[in-house]
Amino acid sequence: MRTPGLSGAMLPAIRDSNTLHQALDLGYRQLLVERGSLLAMVGPLAGAARQGVAIFVNLDAVEGLAADSAALAFLATDLGFSGVLSVKPHLLRDASRFRLRTVQRIHALDSTGLETGLNSVGQPAPYAIAIAPAVAIPQVMPTIRESTNVPVWGTGFITTTDQAAAVLAAGADVVSSAELKLWREFRGARIGD
Amino acid sequence: MATRAMTPPARAQAVDRSVARLFEAFDRVPVAAVIRHAEDLPRALASQVPAIFFVRAPAFHLGPLVWAVQARGKMAFVHIDLIAGLGKDRAGVAFLAREIGVNGIITSHSALVAAARADRVIAVQRLLLYDDLGLHSAMTAVEHARPDIVEVQPAVIFPLVVDQIRARHPVPIIVGGFVTEPHQREAALERGARAVSTSTVSLWP
């Protein structure tokens, strides 16, 4: 893959052109398009990708894209994005054919659901798994590590410094948040710090 | 209750009575036992929990388990979204309610909440809160579906959302998801949960 991967521990979650520019102005070289219409900000996103910013898309939540091969081809070939997130293993399998990095989203709502989610992690292993809500990670990390060694991202409900720090301290490589304040605070945090 | 104005009187009375009975029991023992593995059922039956939640059980072998629960004076709830072999539709709900005779149905789907209400069993709607966007859409679903009880998951989210939920819709709340320590159970109850659901056997009184 020629597109860039992640190196920072904070992954800004953006939802429109404003938040996109705020993250870029802070010097971020990685973004998660978490929701909102991807098509409404496709120009600035493509521009950022051309300049080497790693862009990941949550396919389960963004608007304007179908969950199909044509959409994946658009993200990979036309836009040069780095990867996609989804709860759907078959969609991630398709995405890997387009040389997108794949991030398996797993809902950590209760033990039963977590187990089902971890069992859905397919082969080849994804680039990462994204646990939602991230605030559950300190509780569920031991269970995750019994099942897989792939990098763990935390997404969802992260609004305070303490929450983000606890997620990273529990062993997550990356934490995602939509809070500008946290983007400022964790700007220099590298993966594995 | 005003919120039940559209409900046929017979349904309202029968279900309101069993909801009231459940909450009287939860006031004494505020725990529901979640059965993830059949071998845990005897422990749950011998415990003081007033309600047992079946998740992931095979639908067509569920009858004897449910009847064993009810023979102990406990209420049996089935999480229809995860039950193997059963359609996630009105016919599936009707099977559980009429053929097996469950006391209540747990689901995250508004359409199944409506089906449970129509079939006169207690409707527990799960709020699956994996991000803050989910809260808004889940509450819209709850306002529309009007379940008897809402179950908030995971428990760690409950303190972050309880005020927003209460501001939107007055409904009894139980809390579940990764409740493995006594302090987690107590924290949820202190914030106003009527009960916690847990598969951790040591937390069943």
Side-chain angles (χ1 to χ4, degrees):
Chain A
M1 284 179 224
R2 270 176 263 143
T3 53
L6 296 196
S7 55
M10 171 56 68
L11 181 62
I14 63 148
R15 55 194 71 180
D16 53 29
S17 301
N18 281 344
T19 47
L20 165 65
H21 287 301
Q22 284 169 340
L24 294 176
D25 289 348
L26 285 168
Y28 275 96
R29 306 285 294 163
Q30 56 188 35
L31 301 168
L32 169 62
V33 185
E34 187 190 37
R35 64 179 71 145
S37 168
L38 184 134
L39 302 180
M41 47 180 153
V42 68
L45 283 171
R50 270 197 303 276
Q51 287 162 25
V53 176
I55 298 177
F56 287 77
V57 177
N58 179 358
L59 292 174
D60 302 331
V62 294
E63 295 157 28
L65 287 184
D68 61 16
S69 299
L72 294 168
F74 177 59
L75 297 179
T77 310
D78 297 277
L79 300 181
F81 285 6
S82 288
V84 293
L85 290 68
S86 177
V87 291
K88 300 176 186 122
H90 68 90
L91 193 55
L92 296 179
R93 267 198 305 280
D94 268 3
S96 63
R97 293 200 193 99
F98 293 98
R99 309 184 70 181
L100 289 160
R101 290 175 184 77
T102 60
V103 181
Q104 171 79 51
R105 294 180 68 237
I106 294 176
H107 295 163
L109 299 165
D110 63 7
S111 329
T112 311
L114 178 64
E115 203 171 277
T116 307
L118 288 171
N119 286 339
S120 77
V121 174
Q123 293 295 331
Y127 179 67
I129 58 175
I131 301 293
V135 287
I137 285 179
Q139 274 178 286
V140 302
M141 202 61 172
T143 309
I144 293 169
R145 283 295 171 237
E146 279 169 23
S147 154
T148 178
N149 282 317
V150 302
V152 171
W153 299 4
T155 68
F157 275 111
I158 295 295
T159 56
T160 71
T161 307
D162 288 350
Q163 288 166 341
V167 166
L168 296 175
D173 291 277
V174 171
V175 64
S176 181
S177 173
E179 291 287 327
L180 182 62
K181 183 171 82 76
L182 295 192
W183 299 353
R184 292 205 178 95
E185 287 178 29
F186 286 84
R187 186 154 46 164
R190 315 306 299 167
I191 289 177
D193 276 359
Chain B
M1 279 189 283
T3 53
R4 293 197 182 280
M6 302 298 288
T7 309
R11 189 274 171 192
Q13 285 173 14
V15 177
D16 284 349
R17 256 201 311 277
S18 59
V19 171
R21 188 156 64 85
L22 176 66
F23 282 117
E24 279 166 25
F26 275 152
D27 286 343
R28 291 190 296 274
V29 180
V31 178
V34 177
I35 305 298
R36 299 179 62 212
H37 308 288
E39 57 266 31
D40 290 335
L41 183 59
R43 288 285 299 276
L45 292 176
S47 76
Q48 297 176 57
V49 300
I52 292 182
F53 289 5
F54 290 100
V55 296
R56 218 196 232 173
F60 304 113
H61 300 104
L62 201 54
L65 307 182
V66 166
W67 303 328
V69 169
Q70 292 167 337
R72 295 288 186 122
K74 304 179 190 298
M75 291 193 184
F77 291 76
V78 173
H79 187 356
I80 189 171
D81 302 355
L82 296 180
I83 289 285
L86 194 66
K88 314 313 184 235
D89 53 21
R90 272 180 184 277
V93 170
F95 173 79
L96 293 176
R98 297 176 204 174
E99 307 303 325
I100 294 186
V102 301
N103 298 93
I105 283 172
I106 306 164
T107 179
S108 57
H109 301 293
S110 295
L112 298 184
V113 169
R117 288 172 57 79
D119 257 305
R120 303 185 184 188
V121 293
I122 300 174
V124 181
Q125 188 161 17
R126 274 198 173 170
L127 298 191
L128 308 181
L129 299 180
Y130 42 83
D131 65 25
D132 53 325
L133 184 71
L135 178 63
H136 176 72
S137 54
M139 284 312 295
T140 303
V142 165
E143 285 166 351
H144 180 252
R146 294 185 296 129
D148 298 293
I149 300 169
V150 156
E151 181 175 24
V152 173
Q153 289 190 302
V156 65
I157 288 292
F158 181 58
L160 307 179
V161 299
V162 58
D163 294 336
Q164 292 173 71
I165 293 174
R166 291 210 190 289
R168 285 281 297 265
H169 193 65
V171 60
I173 299 172
I174 60 180
V175 169
F178 308 118
V179 178
T180 56
E181 306 284 340
H183 72 87
Q184 294 162 340
R185 178 184 60 194
E186 303 316 318
L189 297 174
E190 275 165 25
R191 291 304 304 269
R194 298 295 299 271
V196 298
S197 66
T198 177
S199 59
T200 303
V201 175
S202 61
L203 294 186
W204 301 344

